[in-house]
Amino acid sequence: MPDYDVLCIGNAIVDIIAQCEEDFLETNGIIKGAMNLIDTHRAELLYSRMGPAIEASGGSA
């Protein structure tokens, strides 16, 4: 079997999966079903407004 050297450059991403009402999306300017890259300030704001969630590590290489 051949040896491989692999290098991937990408972003470390955390997926947040949570249930919410439609008005939460509207109030926070979130498009339903869309992926949003956010900064720390936005993450802290959304976490303070939302209920329990599941965090799953992801990424894009």
Side-chain angles (χ1 to χ4, degrees):
M1 181 181 298
D3 291 332
Y4 294 99
D5 291 323
V6 177
L7 170 66
C8 296
I9 299 174
N11 294 307
I13 297 174
V14 177
D15 297 328
I16 308 300
I17 303 165
Q19 293 185 355
C20 68
E21 301 295 328
E22 295 286 330
D23 63 330
F24 178 87
L25 301 177
E26 286 183 31
T27 300
N28 292 287
I30 300 170
I31 299 170
K32 187 174 184 175
M35 184 270 242
N36 296 273
L37 294 176
I38 59 173
D39 60 16
T40 303
H41 176 72
R42 177 88 168 133
E44 289 172 353
L45 176 67
L46 291 174
Y47 271 123
S48 72
R49 296 178 174 178
M50 61 189 261
I54 297 170
E55 297 179 349
S57 42
S60 62

